[in-house]
Amino acid sequence: RAVYSIPDQEREFGHNLLEGDVMPVVVYFQNGGDKEVVINPESITLVSQDGIVLEPLSVPHLMELSEKSMWQSAGWALAFGIIGAAVSAHNVSETNERMEADFTNRLLKSKSLAKGRHTEGTLFYQLPESVKNLTGWQVQAVVNQKAADQLLTLKRDLHGELVRKRPEQQASTE
C-alpha cells in the first residue's frame, strides 16, 4: 500500500515526506505456498510502465531527504535569534534521532517465511519530481523459494494521484 496522500503521511509519519520526494510503501507478505520463501527488501522495487526502476532508500539517505523537508517546515525557528536558534537546533537534533529510530523500526526486514507465516514493513522510495500519478507503476518483489532454489517475481499495481504540497503551500511558492 503506497502512502501517497498528505493527510496519511502526516498521520503515520508526523510530516509530509512527499515534500522531499519520498513515498513510503507498506509491504505485506503471507506465505500461502508449501515451501519456505526468503524476503529481501533490496529486491523490492517500484517500476514504471516506462521502465524506470526505483530501489528502496537506505535510512541515511531517507534521513537526508526527510531533514530537508523538516528544515523547510522548521525554518521559522531561526527568526527568534541566537537563543531560539540554539534551542531549535537541539530540538531538531532530538527530532532527527526519533525520526531515524522510527524509520528503522518501520523498515521491512530480510526474513525467511515458513508456510503460513507473514511479515510486513515499510520501504521508502524517492520518486522523480515529474511523477504526478501512480497509475502505470508497480511494486515488484523478487522472493527466493528456498527448497526449490527458485526466484519468484510478485507484482502489485499502484494507483493514485500524488499531491506533494498542500494547496495553500503551492500558492505561496508560485
Side-chain angles (χ1 to χ4, degrees):
R1 167 180 70 88
V3 184
Y4 60 86
S5 78
I6 293 172
D8 287 347
Q9 286 202 6
E10 288 175 343
R11 184 179 62 254
E12 292 187 37
F13 300 98
H15 73 286
N16 177 11
L17 296 170
L18 277 171
E19 282 187 311
D21 299 322
V22 174
M23 185 180 69
V25 177
V26 178
V27 182
Y28 178 87
F29 286 98
Q30 179 159 355
N31 185 357
D34 58 352
K35 295 179 177 49
E36 184 176 355
V37 295
V38 177
I39 308 297
N40 180 358
E42 289 80 29
S43 69
I44 303 171
T45 56
L46 294 187
V47 180
S48 77
Q49 62 190 9
D50 301 330
I52 298 170
V53 178
L54 304 176
E55 296 180 354
L57 296 170
S58 66
V59 172
H61 192 188
L62 175 59
M63 285 302 299
E64 180 183 314
L65 295 170
S66 298
E67 287 171 10
K68 285 180 186 174
S69 66
M70 284 295 287
W71 271 107
Q72 291 169 356
S73 303
W76 60 268
L78 297 178
F80 289 105
I82 296 172
I83 293 172
V87 170
S88 175
H90 175 71
N91 289 341
V92 167
S93 176
E94 285 182 1
T95 299
N96 288 344
E97 288 173 13
R98 285 194 302 269
M99 280 176 43
E100 185 171 2
D102 183 49
F103 290 149
T104 300
N105 289 335
R106 289 175 185 261
L107 278 182
L108 179 69
K109 311 294 189 270
S110 293
K111 183 177 261 190
S112 291
L113 291 180
K115 175 182 176 180
R117 304 295 296 177
H118 69 274
T119 189
E120 77 176 283
T122 304
L123 296 172
F124 301 86
Y125 298 88
Q126 184 177 12
L127 293 176
E129 200 172 312
S130 61
V131 175
K132 307 291 185 218
N133 195 306
L134 295 175
T135 300
W137 284 81
Q138 290 184 327
V139 176
Q140 292 188 5
V142 178
V143 298
N144 185 355
Q145 195 174 29
K146 272 180 111 172
D149 197 28
Q150 179 181 8
L151 297 178
L152 305 171
T153 301
L154 309 173
K155 299 177 182 180
R156 175 89 181 206
D157 291 336
L158 296 175
H159 302 281
E161 184 177 337
L162 294 175
V163 178
R164 294 173 192 263
K165 294 184 179 184
R166 293 187 174 280
E168 62 273 14
Q169 291 172 311
Q170 289 177 348
S172 67
T173 59
E174 292 176 352

